[in-house]
Amino acid sequence: MPSSRVPHLTAKLQGFGTTIFAEMSALATATASVNLGQGFPDSDGPREVLDVAIAGINGGLNQYPPGLGMQVLREAIAAHQHRFYGLDYDPASEVLVTAGATEALAGALLALLETGDEVVVFEPMFDSYAPCISLAGAVTKPVTLRPPHFGFDPDELRAAITPKTRLILFNSPHNPTGRVFSREEVQLVAQLALEHDLLVVTDEVYEHLLFDGAEHVAMAALPGMRDRTLVISSGGKTFSTTGWKIGWLCGPAALVTAARTAKQFLTYVSGAPFQPAIAHGLGLPDSFYAQLAADLQAKRDRLLPGLIEAGFEVFHSSATYFVTVDIRPLQPDGDGMAFCRSLPHRCGVVAIPTEVLYLNKHEGRHLVRFAFCKQLDVLDEAVRRLKTLG
Ligand code: PMP
Ligand code: GLN
């Protein structure tokens, strides 16, 4: 992120620069590098999901869908929440379809935050959180997750909560660390939300990308939490359709109505032909979900040993598309930004400097994220290239 002032840009967005994903994907294209930066798979999701979208376009599903999202999708989202977490939401008033999880996050934060409110969030954090909180006039209060396990210090979490705290923004499984928060950790966050009467917004976009039998604990399913939690997820990761931008949020009607009020003035609606397709996907049998996780686990198991052989210190990943490494064995000055900017030119591989996902930049300066949601031969080629660094 450049520190220089951008002309014309509102003070609320000064310092946020161009997203690292756009910068690094452009660099990957310009240098014909293997792109293990931005998290998107390089193969299509289930054929039948794609076919429903194609049939929708051919069948004339090309105009604005309803403001809340198509009923078939809202019903499928509600059924999914019941099936996986035992949570019941009324598709007519407690489910909202959004333009990806990104818009769900923006809608929720813009709707729920007053100027000066504080939002407690673990860092590193997904790149849209801090700018959206800032656009809402609120303040991000980060609690740092530290390697090797990327757990949090309960006292640091408690200390981050002040009388100004309005909500906790909680992402599990966690991007970029691949951490799945344990039941005890989720319970502690819930307990603090209850004690301090806070809202919780959860980002669960990686809910099905879990390895080694890891369990995703749904915050809203914990006692007392349903009524104060907005659950956000998306079809992008689960169905390998990140370009479709079909997301959603679920919660008690009052919170969903608030989020909808902001969301309707952002995009109003989007993705008509994709909505029934994602609805179809959400109804796929358990075997689909198991295979999705198993395939990705195999990819993780291919990349991680390669990164170790290439000389990085590698932190374990239990979920998501991502693994985090410490670059210092290969670059003793620990400048992850410089490392990632030079890597495509040095060996034709793109990765993400995790520093940009921290407010306390020094905490992540030496950390770099690689994505493993790629075909095995692509991962092998990346490792071959990375090994030339040593
Ligand atoms: N949250 C997290 C943690 C993410 O990694 C992403 C990136 N895909 C998003 C939200 C945004 O999801 P979408 O593409 O559905 O907008
Ligand atoms: N979620 C993806 C990542 O973290 C990409 C998100 C984006 O490009 N906005 O890499």
Side-chain angles (χ1 to χ4, degrees), residues 3-167:
S3 53
S4 56
R5 203 181 162 280
V6 178
H8 308 298
L9 181 67
T10 172
K12 289 174 180 166
L13 289 179
Q14 290 292 340
F16 287 114
T18 302
T19 88
I20 194 68
F21 304 117
E23 178 186 341
M24 288 299 163
S25 280
L27 193 56
T29 307
T31 57
S33 291
V34 179
N35 189 356
L36 303 188
Q38 192 178 27
F40 61 89
D42 61 355
S43 43
D44 279 334
R47 183 71 249 166
E48 56 193 292
V49 170
L50 306 181
D51 283 342
V52 175
I54 293 166
I57 293 172
N58 289 333
L61 205 56
N62 299 308
Q63 310 309 329
Y64 299 125
L68 282 177
M70 288 170 63
Q71 189 173 342
V72 66
L73 178 54
R74 283 184 280 117
E75 284 175 357
I77 293 164
H80 169 275
Q81 294 309 103
H82 179 82
R83 170 178 165 194
F84 288 98
Y85 311 115
L87 282 163
D88 289 308
Y89 293 105
D90 174 7
S93 61
E94 296 185 317
V95 178
L96 175 68
V97 177
T98 57
T102 307
E103 193 200 33
L105 286 157
L109 295 168
L110 290 171
L112 300 176
L113 295 171
E114 297 289 359
T115 304
D117 281 352
E118 292 178 356
V119 178
V120 171
V121 53
F122 291 116
E123 68 172 2
M125 68 187 98
F126 183 58
D127 79 327
S128 79
Y129 295 179
C132 280
I133 292 167
S134 186
L135 277 176
V139 178
T140 306
K141 289 293 204 176
V143 175
T144 306
L145 305 171
R146 296 193 180 88
H149 301 300
F150 295 107
F152 60 88
D153 176 344
D155 290 334
E156 280 185 41
L157 176 60
R158 283 193 191 92
I161 298 173
T162 77
K164 288 185 178 170
T165 308
R166 169 77 169 143
L167 66 83

Side-chain angles (χ1 to χ4, degrees), residues 100-102 105 126 129 171 175 203 205-206 234 237 245:
T102 307
L105 286 157
F126 183 58
Y129 295 179
N171 169 220
N175 176 9
D203 177 345
V205 300
Y206 297 102
S234 155
K237 322 295 175 203
K245 298 296 282 190

Side-chain angles (χ1 to χ4, degrees), residues 240-386:
S240 304
T241 51
T242 62
W244 288 9
K245 298 296 282 190
I246 299 295
W248 53 85
L249 53 81
C250 301
L255 286 179
V256 172
T257 301
R260 178 173 51 98
T261 307
K263 179 264 187 294
Q264 69 188 341
F265 299 121
L266 297 176
T267 57
Y268 178 45
V269 292
S270 57
F274 304 126
Q275 294 197 15
I278 296 297
H280 183 84
L282 289 170
L284 288 173
D286 292 351
S287 54
F288 160 75
Y289 290 89
Q291 193 62 49
L292 170 77
D295 286 349
L296 206 52
Q297 182 172 324
K299 293 174 181 187
R300 177 204 63 177
D301 291 345
R302 193 71 154 245
L303 184 63
L304 264 65
L307 293 174
I308 293 168
E309 283 168 31
F312 296 104
E313 184 183 355
V314 177
F315 304 113
H316 191 69
S317 167
S318 305
T320 76
Y321 286 159
F322 308 115
V323 57
T324 295
V325 305
D326 185 335
I327 60 165
R328 285 176 295 188
L330 288 173
Q331 176 146 337
D333 74 359
D335 186 342
M337 185 66 92
F339 180 82
C340 287
R341 289 201 165 125
S342 69
L343 197 59
H345 306 288
R346 290 169 68 200
C347 77
V349 176
V350 162
I352 296 291
T354 312
E355 172 187 312
V356 300
L357 306 176
Y358 291 79
L359 293 193
N360 298 302
K361 301 285 175 213
H362 64 281
E363 296 275 5
R365 188 170 176 272
H366 54 291
L367 302 176
V368 161
R369 186 192 85 176
F370 288 91
F372 48 76
C373 48
K374 307 291 174 184
Q375 304 203 17
L376 294 175
D377 58 334
V378 173
L379 298 175
D380 290 344
E381 178 58 20
V383 167
R384 193 191 64 72
R385 294 180 183 197
L386 288 166

